[in-house]
Amino acid sequence: MASKLANSSPVAALAGGVGGAKFATGLQETLPPGALTVIVNTGDDFEHWGLTICPDIDTVLYGLAGVNNPQTGWGRDRETWDVLAEIERLGGEAWFRLGDKDLALHLLRNQWLKAGANLTLVTDRLRRKLDVPSRVLPMCNEPVRTLVHTDEGDLPFQDYFVRRRCEPAFRGLTFVGAAKATLTPEVAELLRAAAQIIICPSNPYLSVDPILSVPGLRQLVRDSDAPVVAVSPIVGGRAVKGPVAKMMREMGHLNHLPLTIVEHYGDLLDGFVLDRQDRAEESRLTLPALTTDTIMTGLSSKQRLAAEVLQFGRSLIDG
Amino acid sequence: MASKLANSSPVAALAGGVGGAKFATGLQETLPPGALTVIVNTGDDFEHWGLTICPDIDTVLYGLAGVNNPQTGWGRDRETWDVLAEIERLGGEAWFRLGDKDLALHLLRNQWLKAGANLTLVTDRLRRKLDVPSRVLPMCNEPVRTLVHTDEGDLPFQDYFVRRRCEPAFRGLTFVGAAKATLTPEVAELLRAAAQIIICPSNPYLSVDPILSVPGLRQLVRDSDAPVVAVSPIVGGRAVKGPVAKMMREMGHLNHLPLTIVEHYGDLLDGFVLDRQDRAEESRLTLPALTTDTIMTGLSSKQRLAAEVLQFGRSLIDG
């Protein structure tokens, strides 16, 4: 752990989609502009209509830009659907819902990727176009694709998540391509310089593990002098959003889910943040814990939680 | 020339964009379903937002499908512009106007091209999606890109045509990639089987010459037993649409433009169709000519012209 955290010291957040984006938005509003960098899962990425789709990056970008759809948690606000309707009319694939505004960003990404820019550079250009003050880094530039092992066989992530609505029983994951992925200089530099590292309330298996699977990344988090704090995605034994609790049950974890998550992260963590509803679990944890209200609704609850988590992290340095 | 033309014999039309699409629509409505195949210029194709754009193919497809915008001559009817507006807002390139419905077709093309299908197969899938009874063949599968030599230097076609609105003075053309293009089996088979070959009222330099530049294609047209008839894109010494007359002036052809076009096509033609307004030019021509009203407004004028041109072609066999 480093010495006392300056107010503008770099903060690194590891995030998946909706929950990660909400918490990152709270961090951004709490920290000085530019202090936050979010490392985002790209294991959910896939090709659709010949375009590279990066669901988690876009959810984080739209959240940080304040142009997200607050109802769905993904996609753009005040969205229109003219292209999708016409693709459907032409008999094309319409199961993955890309709106018109969303598509505009995808076409810019497509143009720049085709011109040879890597995903880190493309994402940085997009966040500038969206006037996002925080940096957003893909976990790596190479394609890593999460393959979900289920009782109905192996499913590419979006097939499991969108088409099948996470219905097949979860058996495990493979992050295809992770072994050949390369830690980017931007991620490495961030993790070496970070004064705090925060694992957002994202799915540990689907959203955070792919990030940690990039060779060398987990080691950098573990070796960091900065306090590493994870925020629980579980509230009252259930997931706030997404299939994490269902997946944990299918892995045989029926109770004490916060403890299971802490054990899953293992030696990475210096502290853990859990919800008041799981207060009874705190005594089982063998690391410093902050129990608070982790449900984020409006911006003020995001900011309040972010400030508490940052203060908790600082306390781990000071203490 | 072949023996008397059966009503369902294959007819091949060589076409560029707007004028070609109009005339091809007339042919389609006049001929039995499936008798018409249109070979379309792809020299205007380019990459935009990372997508392959085929302006002439799409103008022909939309025209034949009856879903074109009759005001502009290009693009879709009842179009919306949500994606373009958002790309513009994000600071992306908005000079080439792709509407939402138009974009749906481009995304299907992008998906199929990325999956490895060639442009001939992709175009055939698209025309089936659009319920077009006629076949539409790109002149070749490889990229051929028209480079326009002007008094302001060399310009890629869309820069000359859309961005600069054909303002720089025309000096000549290069069809980059044409020498390495391959005659497709579909085009070769069509031209060998065709009972009539019609060069649509398209720009001879920008739209028809790229088609004829595909190695072996011009030879097949010349060697065909079928009558080859061109319809003049000039009416009263001016272009019905597009820059052909301006280009001809800039090449020093100030008068007798129909004759200039006939001489440009050289030994390809068995007959030529010119407008009543250019009746005085007919006496200069040394090949059979049909003088008629070539301006196409509604569907009935397209059909009337198509029927006359087909009858003229038949008369060249019988005569």
Side-chain angles (χ1 to χ4, degrees):
Chain A
M1 295 185 201
S3 59
K4 191 165 165 52
L5 185 68
N7 200 34
S8 63
S9 303
V11 171
L14 278 56
V18 178
K22 279 185 176 181
F23 186 69
T25 304
L27 288 172
Q28 174 176 276
E29 298 306 311
T30 305
L31 290 163
L36 174 67
T37 303
V38 190
I39 302 172
V40 183
N41 170 41
T42 59
D44 302 0
D45 294 9
F46 70 120
E47 299 279 316
H48 188 62
W49 301 340
L51 305 174
T52 298
I53 313 290
C54 307
D56 286 357
I57 286 178
D58 293 352
T59 297
V60 169
L61 283 175
Y62 293 154
L64 294 178
V67 298
N68 60 317
N69 179 335
Q71 272 73 52
T72 57
W74 52 266
R76 287 290 308 265
D77 58 347
R78 295 189 292 276
E79 186 59 287
T80 56
W81 304 91
D82 295 299
V83 177
L84 186 73
E86 182 63 18
I87 284 189
E88 194 156 20
R89 212 189 62 80
L90 291 172
E93 288 185 71
W95 61 273
F96 189 82
R97 294 184 63 73
L98 272 183
D100 298 327
K101 286 184 184 169
D102 201 1
L103 197 49
L105 177 134
H106 284 83
L107 290 168
L108 290 181
R109 172 181 287 133
N110 187 53
Q111 178 180 342
W112 296 332
L113 285 176
K114 274 220 166 177
N118 66 33
L119 191 60
T120 299
L121 179 56
V122 166
T123 306
D124 197 59
R125 284 188 193 162
L126 291 174
R127 71 105 179 164
R128 287 169 194 272
K129 295 285 189 195
L130 288 163
D131 294 324
V132 171
S134 308
R135 281 193 306 158
V136 176
L137 298 176
M139 66 192 206
C140 60
N141 290 317
E142 300 86 355
V144 173
R145 297 293 180 257
T146 297
L147 187 68
V148 185
H149 309 300
T150 79
D151 63 340
E152 301 183 27
D154 293 348
L155 294 171
F157 176 77
Q158 294 297 339
D159 281 357
Y160 168 76
F161 191 71
V162 179
R163 278 213 234 219
R164 298 299 313 279
R165 297 160 187 270
C166 308
E167 282 165 9
F170 175 76
R171 295 282 177 266
L173 297 166
T174 301
F175 306 122
V176 180
K180 285 195 276 186
T182 312
L183 195 67
T184 68
E186 293 84 359
V187 167
E189 193 184 323
L190 170 71
L191 290 174
R192 289 198 185 97
Q196 284 208 39
I197 298 174
I198 301 174
I199 300 178
C200 291
S202 297
N203 188 314
Y205 311 99
L206 285 175
S207 300
V208 181
D209 278 0
I211 301 174
L212 297 172
S213 76
V214 175
L217 199 152
R218 186 186 182 98
Q219 187 75 28
L220 275 178
V221 174
R222 191 166 45 208
D223 294 352
S224 170
D225 288 335
V228 180
V229 170
V231 181
S232 177
I234 293 287
V235 171
R238 311 199 328 191
V240 177
K241 174 108 187 165
V244 61
K246 175 178 183 289
M247 290 167 64
M248 294 179 84
R249 280 198 304 278
E250 289 163 355
M251 286 187 284
H253 304 300
L254 304 177
N255 298 300
H256 314 309
L257 301 188
L259 174 64
T260 305
I261 289 173
V262 166
E263 287 175 344
H264 178 76
Y265 285 134
D267 58 357
L268 287 185
L269 298 189
D270 298 306
F272 191 70
V273 179
L274 70 170
D275 193 83
R276 277 190 218 289
Q277 295 184 43
D278 300 305
R279 180 193 303 274
E281 300 295 320
E282 187 175 337
S283 61
R284 300 179 186 274
L285 306 179
T286 56
L287 82 179
L290 167 69
T291 301
T292 185
D293 180 4
T294 65
I295 295 187
M296 294 170 280
T297 48
L299 186 57
S300 65
S301 61
K302 291 173 194 155
Q303 278 182 288
R304 193 256 318 135
L305 179 61
E308 286 184 44
V309 172
L310 288 165
Q311 181 53 43
F312 174 57
R314 279 190 206 101
S315 75
L316 299 174
I317 306 171
D318 297 337
Chain B
M1 296 185 199
S3 59
K4 193 166 164 51
L5 185 69
N7 199 33
S8 61
S9 303
V11 171
L14 278 55
V18 178
K22 279 185 176 181
F23 186 70
T25 304
L27 288 172
Q28 174 175 276
E29 298 307 311
T30 305
L31 290 163
L36 174 67
T37 304
V38 190
I39 302 172
V40 184
N41 170 41
T42 60
D44 302 359
D45 294 9
F46 70 119
E47 299 280 315
H48 188 63
W49 301 340
L51 306 174
T52 298
I53 314 290
C54 307
D56 284 357
I57 286 178
D58 293 353
T59 298
V60 170
L61 283 174
Y62 294 153
L64 293 178
V67 297
N68 60 317
N69 179 335
Q71 272 74 51
T72 57
W74 53 265
R76 287 290 308 266
D77 57 347
R78 296 189 292 276
E79 186 58 287
T80 57
W81 303 92
D82 295 300
V83 177
L84 185 73
E86 183 63 17
I87 285 189
E88 193 156 21
R89 213 189 62 79
L90 291 172
E93 288 184 72
W95 61 273
F96 190 82
R97 295 183 64 73
L98 271 182
D100 298 328
K101 286 184 183 170
D102 200 1
L103 197 49
L105 177 135
H106 284 84
L107 290 167
L108 290 181
R109 172 182 286 135
N110 187 52
Q111 179 181 341
W112 296 332
L113 286 176
K114 274 221 165 176
N118 66 32
L119 191 59
T120 299
L121 179 56
V122 166
T123 305
D124 197 59
R125 284 188 194 162
L126 290 174
R127 71 106 180 164
R128 287 169 193 273
K129 295 286 189 194
L130 288 164
D131 295 323
V132 171
S134 308
R135 282 194 305 158
V136 176
L137 298 176
M139 65 191 207
C140 60
N141 290 317
E142 300 86 354
V144 173
R145 298 293 180 256
T146 297
L147 187 68
V148 185
H149 308 300
T150 78
D151 63 339
E152 301 184 27
D154 293 349
L155 294 171
F157 175 77
Q158 295 295 341
D159 281 356
Y160 169 76
F161 191 70
V162 179
R163 277 213 234 219
R164 299 299 313 279
R165 297 159 188 271
C166 308
E167 282 165 9
F170 175 76
R171 295 282 177 264
L173 296 167
T174 302
F175 307 122
V176 180
K180 284 196 276 187
T182 312
L183 195 67
T184 68
E186 293 84 359
V187 168
E189 193 183 323
L190 169 71
L191 290 175
R192 289 198 185 98
Q196 284 209 39
I197 299 174
I198 301 174
I199 300 178
C200 292
S202 297
N203 188 313
Y205 311 99
L206 285 175
S207 300
V208 181
D209 278 0
I211 301 174
L212 298 172
S213 77
V214 175
L217 200 152
R218 187 187 181 97
Q219 186 77 27
L220 276 178
V221 174
R222 191 167 44 207
D223 294 351
S224 170
D225 288 336
V228 180
V229 171
V231 181
S232 177
I234 292 288
V235 172
R238 310 198 330 189
V240 178
K241 174 107 188 165
V244 59
K246 175 179 183 290
M247 289 168 66
M248 294 179 83
R249 279 198 304 277
E250 290 163 355
M251 285 187 284
H253 305 299
L254 303 178
N255 297 300
H256 313 309
L257 301 189
L259 173 64
T260 304
I261 289 173
V262 166
E263 287 174 344
H264 179 76
Y265 285 133
D267 59 358
L268 287 185
L269 298 188
D270 298 307
F272 191 69
V273 179
L274 70 170
D275 194 83
R276 277 190 219 289
Q277 295 185 42
D278 300 304
R279 181 194 301 276
E281 301 295 321
E282 188 177 336
S283 62
R284 301 178 186 275
L285 306 179
T286 56
L287 83 178
L290 167 70
T291 301
T292 185
D293 181 5
T294 64
I295 294 187
M296 295 170 281
T297 49
L299 185 57
S300 64
S301 61
K302 291 172 193 155
Q303 278 182 288
R304 195 256 318 137
L305 178 61
E308 285 184 45
V309 172
L310 288 166
Q311 181 53 43
F312 174 56
R314 280 191 206 101
S315 75
L316 298 175
I317 306 170
D318 298 337

